[in-house]
Amino acid sequence: MRIYIIEDDISIINILEDIIETHDLGEICGDCGGNVPDIASVLRAKPDVVLVDFLMPVMDGASFVAELRKFNSSIKCIMISQVSSKDLVSKAYMAGVDFFISKPINLIEIKSVLGNVRQQIENQRTLDNIRNMFVAGNVQTEHTPLQTEDEYSRKLRIILNKLGISGEKGSADIVKICEYLKNNSADVASVSVGQMCEAVSDSPKSVEQRIRRAIAAGMTNISHMGIEDFMNETFVAFSATLFSFEEVRSEMDFIRGKAKFGGKVSIKKFIDGLMLEADRY
């Protein structure tokens, strides 16, 4: 696992490099040397993981990650920060940060986070190899799609299961809508919720209610995950992609008894995010 470090404090760079190399957590493929980070230099180093400081002069860590994502969306980005502001944490997740490591640097946390990231990368590579073997052994004709509808539906259901809502009545409706949009190459932004529901049922209002309840249950479940463990893999992966992170935060505050109202769900955001996640799966 190749790791690139972006940090304006040379001493922190040295500490991180020493920990990573001493405990065999990965291969250091470069660092910014305490200078302003350069996207081109990072990309040339071909890292699997980028460790990036949150508070840096010229360009903050979240802005750097957002810019990096424009060129390479597969690099795992880990934010190093002593910032506890929920707004700033939300900004980082929205920019594309995968994990957080808190300052001051903690050996146990670094080992845990990098271990999780390594496992994710290895799992993805294994899955890619299996897919490549399948493609190589099966000649695809012009009229034979690489991904069948059954396979796509399975991916959708896996994600819904991770959210703990696969048993909700609205989950089947969500899968049908995603299949409909994909089969018709329809953009979620150009289709209303009512039109989506009409496309899969003669009772669109009932479908919309079932879907909204299922998504709301998913938000509640993922909020509980975040309360128990802010670094929970499912929480990190989906709290800002399937939902608005601000609304998830509101739901968490409601569960803790710190707010009178919970978060609100957006059916269109959830559907759009779910389809993107299924395509990446």
Side-chain angles (χ1 to χ4, degrees), residues 230-264:
F230 201 71
M231 301 306 296
N232 177 281
E233 182 178 342
T234 301
F235 177 82
V236 171
F238 302 132
S239 59
T241 54
L242 304 185
F243 309 93
S244 162
F245 187 79
E246 291 295 324
E247 297 300 333
V248 171
R249 188 176 65 181
S250 296
E251 184 71 13
M252 292 168 72
D253 287 342
F254 176 71
I255 293 170
R256 292 188 182 108
K258 296 181 179 180
K260 293 183 179 180
F261 305 99
K264 299 178 181 178

Side-chain angles (χ1 to χ4, degrees), residues 41-52:
S41 296
V42 175
L43 294 174
R44 280 197 297 271
K46 297 181 179 180
D48 299 304
V49 179
V50 170
L51 296 176
V52 55

